[in-house]
Amino acid sequence: MTSEPSGDNAALYGAIVPTFFKYLIPSLLGLFAMTSASLVDGIFIGNYEGVSALAAVNLIIPITTLLFGIGMMLSIGGSVRAGKYLGEGKTAAASAIFSKTLLSVAVYGVAVIMLGLALEEQIFAGLGATPELFSPMSEYYRVIVPFLFAQLLTLVLYFFIRLDGMPSLAATALAIGAVANIALDYLFIAVFGWGLAGAAFATGLSEVLPVLVMLIYFFRPERSLRFSFRQDNWREVFQAAYNGVSEFINAVSGAIVAFILNWMLIQRAGVNGVAAITVVNYLLVLGFMMFFAISDTIQVMISQNFGAAKNDRIRGFLQIACCVIGMFSVAFIALLTTASEPLVHLFVDEKNSTEMVELATELVSYVWPLFLFAGFNMLISGYLTAIHLPFQSGVVAASHSLIFPAVFLLLFYYLVSDHRFVAALPVAEGFTFVLALVIFLRHRPIKSTLFVTRDK
């Protein structure tokens, strides 16, 4: 069924700046809530369980990131396709891809949980963990893996609910989970003394709550997307997922680069090195979360305007996004260059971790230039995904998160004899920006939307 898009759709008809912030602010709150679980876990684990426990959790991150990345690919790819359908007025087609994405992610979640638990020891060995870290890793891993099912469902619902014009509901659900995680971390770790298992239970239970809250969406009469078990043309799920391939590349690449970094730092600085880069990663996540929220918002705006062939609105949304990224970048650079040591102290006990604190603070001084380029690279990748150029988006994503980081890390690792090789990361980000800018200029909005056709 095809119908004209509703004039009530703010993404298509609302004033550009207010509409951008209408979606961005809930997205920021929602993504902060989504990522706060790992940050809060890091604070409690570092302060109550010590450096070794922090390192153990960090070594698990690559595998959970990889599994989560496939869910991201399906969710974002499906939501971008649904956004184009909504822009074209095809609500039935948008509902169908929503249903198929949700069902596919649910089946995928069950499969990876079973495999992940069955192959635990092989996974730990493959991640490069030393034998003394197997026990604390297992304590956290066996609890957190089953909760991946709730995390994956949250992911799908979050992107599609926002797409359907209810960003506040999605953000509220994640915020409730974030508050619950803080309370449960304190209760399970600080009060009950359950250690890493307590941190995993706190994170897992806090991921279940957003799913329950977002179920409200299915009872909202004003929603456009309808869920149904009976579907056909399942090939569309894979076609849509291809359009989200850049997110999968980001996740896989992030896992690979994290593995490389962990291995290098174990060789050069031991467990303290892994713990130090863990803290640095927590600080970087705060900034990257902001950039991802902007990219995510742009995808919601542009995918619908791309379907509706609204060229001027696409350019307008890109311009405001660039301005906001620039301001965020300046703010984070100022924060990291002036207050890195107090920020590191949030995650560890200063008295018992002096060497690690000094190392983490030094690493921050090498990596802060990432923020000169990272936000714009994420924006360009998100824009290319929204206008259905998955190959170009994938090239930017792979360059940003794998190819250049891996190449420069290996190069710097052999050029310097200590941990200063981490300076390779901002260098890689700068090279990615040059490539991303060239690709963007070849696919500016004025060119891309000329090729849009709409079914009447």
Side-chain angles (χ1 to χ4, degrees):
M1 180 179 69
T2 302
S3 60
E4 288 302 312
S6 169
D8 295 331
N9 188 334
L12 293 175
Y13 299 101
I16 287 177
V17 173
T19 299
F20 177 79
F21 283 103
K22 173 188 174 182
Y23 279 81
L24 176 62
I25 293 174
S27 181
L28 283 174
L29 296 175
L31 287 172
F32 179 78
M34 190 182 293
T35 56
S36 68
S38 62
L39 296 174
V40 173
D41 281 356
I43 292 173
F44 278 96
I45 291 170
N47 283 282
Y48 286 92
E49 302 301 318
V51 170
S52 295
L54 204 58
V57 171
N58 187 57
L59 287 170
I60 293 172
I61 289 176
I63 188 62
T64 56
T65 300
L66 174 61
L67 299 178
F68 202 64
I70 296 175
M72 287 283 287
M73 177 178 68
L74 292 166
S75 301
I76 291 181
S79 65
V80 167
R81 175 161 290 211
K84 184 173 183 291
Y85 284 147
L86 289 177
E88 295 169 339
K90 301 176 181 178
T91 55
S95 295
I97 191 62
F98 166 57
S99 301
K100 286 181 280 193
T101 301
L102 187 57
L103 291 170
S104 298
V105 169
V107 172
Y108 162 74
V110 172
V112 297
I113 289 169
M114 294 173 64
L115 285 173
L117 292 175
L119 301 174
E120 177 184 313
E121 290 189 5
Q122 294 90 330
I123 289 172
F124 290 174
L127 292 172
T130 54
E132 63 268 22
L133 290 174
F134 272 39
S135 179
M137 288 175 70
S138 182
E139 183 181 352
Y140 187 85
Y141 181 84
R142 291 181 181 179
V143 175
I144 201 65
V145 167
F147 284 109
L148 278 174
F149 186 78
Q151 288 181 298
L152 291 169
L153 292 184
T154 296
L155 200 62
V156 179
L157 293 173
Y158 172 77
F159 283 110
F160 278 93
I161 289 174
R162 290 185 67 251
L163 176 71
D164 200 11
M166 303 181 196
S168 296
L169 173 60
T172 299
L174 295 182
I176 290 173
V179 173
N181 184 63
I182 296 172
L184 292 174
D185 262 329
Y186 175 76
L187 184 66
F188 293 165
I189 300 175
V191 178
F192 293 166
W194 290 356
L196 289 177
F201 271 116
T203 298
L205 292 173
S206 67
E207 292 291 347
V208 173
L209 287 176
V211 177
L212 299 177
V213 174
M214 282 191 275
L215 290 178
I216 295 172
Y217 170 77
F218 294 96
F219 299 96
R220 291 277 183 89
E222 69 271 25
R223 75 186 190 279
S224 298
L225 303 176
R226 306 286 165 170
F227 176 80
S228 174
F229 282 100
R230 299 186 64 180
Q231 297 294 330
D232 53 18
N233 189 23
W234 286 91
R235 189 189 314 178
E236 186 183 26
V237 174
F238 300 101
Q239 294 169 340
Y242 176 58
N243 201 42
V245 72
S246 62
E247 306 306 326
F248 175 69
I249 290 173
N250 279 330
V252 174
S253 302
I256 294 172
V257 171
F259 170 78
I260 294 172
L261 266 175
N262 288 338
W263 181 85
M264 289 179 170
L265 284 165
I266 283 178
Q267 302 303 311
R268 294 281 171 89
V271 173
N272 274 333
V274 177
I277 199 63
T278 304
V279 172
V280 173
N281 281 334
Y282 285 141
L283 298 180
L284 295 181
V285 161
L286 286 172
F288 284 6
M289 172 198 65
M290 300 291 186
F291 297 146
F292 183 80
I294 295 170
S295 176
D296 175 39
T297 299
I298 279 295
Q299 288 180 11
V300 173
M301 303 291 100
I302 291 180
S303 64
Q304 296 184 66
N305 283 283
F306 179 69
K310 291 180 176 288
N311 188 46
D312 291 340
R313 291 183 64 80
I314 292 176
R315 291 202 304 271
F317 282 121
L318 284 173
Q319 289 167 0
I320 185 64
C322 285
C323 292
V324 175
I325 285 174
M327 290 187 289
F328 272 134
S329 298
V330 170
F332 273 101
I333 289 172
L335 184 65
L336 290 176
T337 54
T338 61
S340 59
E341 189 170 342
L343 290 172
V344 171
H345 285 156
L346 290 174
F347 294 91
V348 291
D349 182 353
E350 180 181 3
K351 296 180 181 178
N352 299 324
S353 310
T354 304
E355 183 180 347
M356 197 280 282
V357 170
E358 292 176 354
L359 180 56
T361 304
E362 185 178 355
L363 292 180
V364 170
S365 70
Y366 298 136
V367 303
W368 68 258
L370 277 166
F371 287 101
L372 293 172
F373 311 106
F376 298 104
N377 290 336
M378 292 184 193
L379 174 63
I380 292 172
S381 180
Y383 161 74
L384 294 170
T385 296
I387 63 170
H388 291 246
L389 292 175
F391 175 77
Q392 290 85 346
S393 178
V395 169
V396 174
S399 300
H400 155 75
S401 55
L402 176 61
I403 297 173
F404 286 139
V407 168
F408 282 103
L409 276 173
L410 291 171
L411 177 62
F412 279 42
Y413 185 77
Y414 287 106
L415 287 177
V416 299
S417 58
D418 56 18
H419 49 267
R420 288 176 296 171
F421 65 83
V422 298
L425 296 175
V427 173
E429 202 72 50
F431 273 81
T432 300
F433 176 70
V434 174
L435 174 64
L437 187 60
V438 170
I439 294 175
F440 171 76
L441 292 175
R442 289 174 60 88
H443 300 283
R444 294 190 299 273
I446 191 170
K447 293 184 178 181
S448 301
T449 54
L450 287 176
F451 296 97
V452 176
T453 59
R454 293 187 55 196
D455 297 332
K456 297 295 182 184

